[in-house]
Each structure stands twice: as structure tokens, then as C-alpha cells.
Amino acid sequence: MIILGVDPGLTRCGVGVIEAGGGRRLSFVHVDVVRSDPSQSQDLRLLKIWRGLSEKIDRFAPDVVSIEQVFAQHNVDTVLGTAQVAGLAMVAAAERSIPVAVHTPSEVKLAVTGNGAAQKIQVERMVARILHLNKLPQPPDAADALAQAICHALHPSGELQGGERDQHLTAAQRQWAVAVQKSRNASSKMRGRGM
Amino acid sequence: MIILGVDPGLTRCGVGVIEAGGGRRLSFVHVDVVRSDPSQSQDLRLLKIWRGLSEKIDRFAPDVVSIEQVFAQHNVDTVLGTAQVAGLAMVAAAERSIPVAVHTPSEVKLAVTGNGAAQKIQVERMVARILHLNKLPQPPDAADALAQAICHALHPSGELQGGERDQHLTAAQRQWAVAVQKSRNASSKMRGRGM
């Protein structure tokens, strides 16, 4: 199974592709960052990211696209652009009838390192170890996209959402997580895809 | 000139189309709401809106797509979905090389009614009057999309952004507006489209 992970961002959008074989064996396929120019207008920047993501999805034909959950409470200067890029990734997948999964940053860190509040370097090292890379994933800030894909491979149904993860959430994130969980329950009932 | 106005929303996305002739004469072309089913997952809902918006843009071939500005501080339950729909409208326009404009709700109310804090019913009545409609625009909540298009026809460069408009902004909105203005200045320098 091919999993394409997305770490959404308007200036830099991480894309990481892995293959999940039998016995939870995971192997590295691709990692890259799709960029847009901050001096351009919002519509042209989103178009650039849209084309980049569409090209990656066409090239790697993933079985699932897994996208980092965006929280409304995050950095107010960038959250709308980040949410817009996450939305584009969803539509690019949905247009091709590819299932979409969403995992929070804490879920991803917990799945990859065993610690939902792990530092970035810990995540990078564990991504390299899990995927048998000789050095840390390059470019470094695309490691999150590979981590997102690994998280989905190990915990496709988001079973990390209970107790342990919640320890790492702020009150606002916890409130948001409850809303997310509600909407996930509603949508998994509708779709029955087990995401 | 054909102007397609968008009032972004994930459950209900208003679309209003007008034609702007000589001497600021404006005429009604089309109004509708593109809907998505709240019980479906986010990716399928966004796909539904994406297809609906793309179909409207193809059908009416506007010279400009004018979209309501989304504020990060607005309703935390819906702001990310609203921003995602605004992003889809931008990409649908940009893919077809159609210029995109953005006007805030206060700018739109001010342009249409002369009062940046006007009530919804006042906006609906003025939209009907300006477009010579015999009754209020239907469906009623798509009036904002027509108002958005009218605002762009009357004030394409957003010259309402100074003094009078600012009276109606909260501190957070004002802060946001400054950021928007900065990015507009940067992008209009880059693009030179006079928006």
C-alpha cells in the first residue's frame, strides 16, 4: 500500500511517500517540498501548491492521502493559508477517488517516537530509523510529511486518539479534538472506509 | 464585464453573477447556492463545492471572481472550512487565468448600503434595488454573493479600505486588515492587475 503524507503549508508544503508492506514493514519512496512564492498573490500561491500536489498524487498514485490536522487556534497569521492547502490536498485526493485520512501533530509524534510532545529532531531520527535511511530525511522540514505517512501506516484508524495523546493537548486543542472526533464518527458512519 | 461574487461557506456557498456595463450600470445575471452535506467527510464536502464552483465559473466565464475575505478570528467552528472554500474559489479562478479580488464584509456592506455595519435585510433590499429586481434576491442568503460582486463593480481597487470602513472593525479585524493590506500591496506590485 502506498501512503502519501502531507504537511500542509502555503510557503512550504511537505510531501512524503512510503510503501507499507506485510508485517508493518515500511519503506521510503519519496520526499519533497512544494513551495510557493510569498511575494505572489494568494490565488497564484494556492494554484502553485495545487499543481504541485496534483502532480505528486498522479506520479505516486497513493492508496491513501494522509494530511496533518489543522487547528483553528494555531498561528493566526498562517492558519488560513495552511487550512486552504490542506483543503486542496483533500480535493486533489477526492477528485481521484483516493481516501483521505487526517492525523494531528501529537498523534503523529506519538506514533513515530512514542512521545506525543517529541522534539522535531527526535521525529526526524525516528523517521530515518523506521524507513532505514542512512541519513536524516532531506529536506529536513519534509520529515513531518513522512512522519504523517508512517503514523497512518501504523495507526490507520487513529486509535491513538484516547488517553495518552490527550495529555499533550492544550485545553483549546482538546476542545477541537472533541469536535474533530465527532465529525469523524459522523463521517466514518457515512463512508464506512474505516478511517 | 462579468463579475462572479462568492460568499464562501462549506455548507452553503453563495454565488452571484452580475454584468457591469458603462456608467456603472449593473445588471443581474445569476444567483445560486452551492451546498455540501454536513454528514459527509470534509474531503467529499470540499469536492462537492469545488465541482459546483468550477461549473459556475465555466458557465458564466467571469472577467473577475470576487471573494469575501475570511478572518482568522471569526467563528472557530466554521472558519477553517470557510477559508478552504475561499481557497478553492481562488484556485478555480486562477486555473482559468481569471483575476481574483477579495473584499471584506464591511467593505461590501459599505459599498452597497453606505453603512459598513448594515443589517442583512438592508443589504438584500439594496441589492434588489441596484440590480432592478422586482423582489428580494432568492435564495436570501445568496444576496451576500451578489453584494460582493456589486462591491467589486463599484470599488474594484478596494478604495473603501481607509477611514470610514475602519470604524466598523474590531481591534482584531483591524490588525488583520493591516496584514491583508500589506499583502495586497505586495501582490498588486507583482501582478500589476490593478486589483
Side-chain angles (χ1 to χ4, degrees), chain B residues 81-99:
Chain B
T82 304
Q84 289 175 326
V85 169
L88 294 180
M90 287 183 189
V91 172
E95 266 201 320
R96 294 161 176 82
S97 302
I98 298 169

Side-chain angles (χ1 to χ4, degrees), chain A residues 46-118:
Chain A
L46 290 170
L47 179 64
K48 177 89 191 308
I49 301 283
W50 165 254
R51 288 183 168 157
L53 286 173
S54 299
E55 185 270 328
K56 297 288 185 199
I57 294 176
D58 282 335
R59 182 166 15 144
F60 296 103
D63 297 287
V64 59
V65 172
S66 189
I67 305 167
E68 186 173 299
Q69 174 77 55
V70 181
F71 292 99
Q73 293 84 1
H74 278 183
N75 189 340
V76 88
D77 290 334
T78 59
V79 68
L80 296 187
T82 304
Q84 288 175 327
V85 169
L88 294 180
M90 288 184 188
V91 172
E95 265 201 322
R96 294 160 176 82
S97 302
I98 299 170
V100 169
V102 175
H103 299 281
T104 69
S106 307
E107 247 175 285
V108 170
K109 288 175 182 173
L110 181 59
V112 172
T113 70
N115 171 8

Side-chain angles (χ1 to χ4, degrees), chain A residues 9-10 30 57 70 76 83 102 109 116 121 125 127-128 139 142 147 150 152 165 167 175-176 189 192:
Chain A
L10 184 56
H30 177 78
I57 294 176
V70 181
V76 88
V102 175
K109 288 175 182 173
I121 184 69
R125 286 188 188 133
V127 164
I150 293 170
H152 186 74
R165 193 200 65 165
Q167 292 169 16
Q175 196 178 7
W176 181 261
K189 273 179 211 149

Side-chain angles (χ1 to χ4, degrees), chain B residues 3-9 11-18 28-36 48-49 51-57 59-60 85 127 131 133 136-149:
Chain B
I3 304 169
L4 188 146
V6 177
D7 180 28
T11 302
R12 303 172 63 78
C13 178
V15 176
V17 186
I18 66 171
F28 172 83
V29 175
H30 177 78
V31 68
D32 198 6
V33 169
V34 179
R35 292 175 173 78
S36 80
K48 177 90 191 306
I49 300 285
R51 288 183 168 158
L53 285 174
S54 299
E55 186 269 328
K56 296 290 186 198
I57 294 175
R59 183 166 13 145
F60 296 102
V85 169
V127 165
L131 299 178
L133 305 175
L136 297 184
Q138 293 295 332
D141 60 2
D144 286 341
L146 286 172
Q148 174 71 221

Side-chain angles (χ1 to χ4, degrees), chain A residues 37-44 46-47 50-51 69-73 76-77 79-80 82-88 90-91 94-96 98-100 176 179 183 186-187 190-191 193 195, chain B residues 37-44 46-47 50-51 69-73 76-77 79-80 82-88 90-91 94-96 98-100 176 179 183 186-187 190-191 193 195:
Chain A
D37 179 350
S39 70
Q40 286 204 308
S41 59
Q42 186 82 352
D43 56 327
L44 297 183
L46 290 170
L47 179 64
W50 165 254
R51 288 183 168 157
Q69 174 77 55
V70 181
F71 292 99
Q73 293 84 1
V76 88
D77 290 334
V79 68
L80 296 187
T82 304
Q84 288 175 327
V85 169
L88 294 180
M90 288 184 188
V91 172
E95 265 201 322
R96 294 160 176 82
I98 299 170
V100 169
W176 181 261
S183 77
S187 62
M190 286 296 293
R191 305 177 69 193
R193 280 176 174 170
M195 303 193 319
Chain B
D37 178 350
S39 70
Q40 285 204 309
S41 58
Q42 186 82 353
D43 56 328
L44 297 184
L46 290 171
L47 179 63
W50 166 252
R51 288 183 168 158
Q69 173 77 55
V70 181
F71 290 99
Q73 292 84 358
V76 88
D77 290 334
V79 69
L80 296 187
T82 304
Q84 289 175 326
V85 169
L88 294 180
M90 287 183 189
V91 172
E95 266 201 320
R96 294 161 176 82
I98 298 169
V100 169
W176 181 261
S183 76
S187 63
M190 288 294 295
R191 304 179 68 193
R193 279 174 172 169
M195 302 190 317

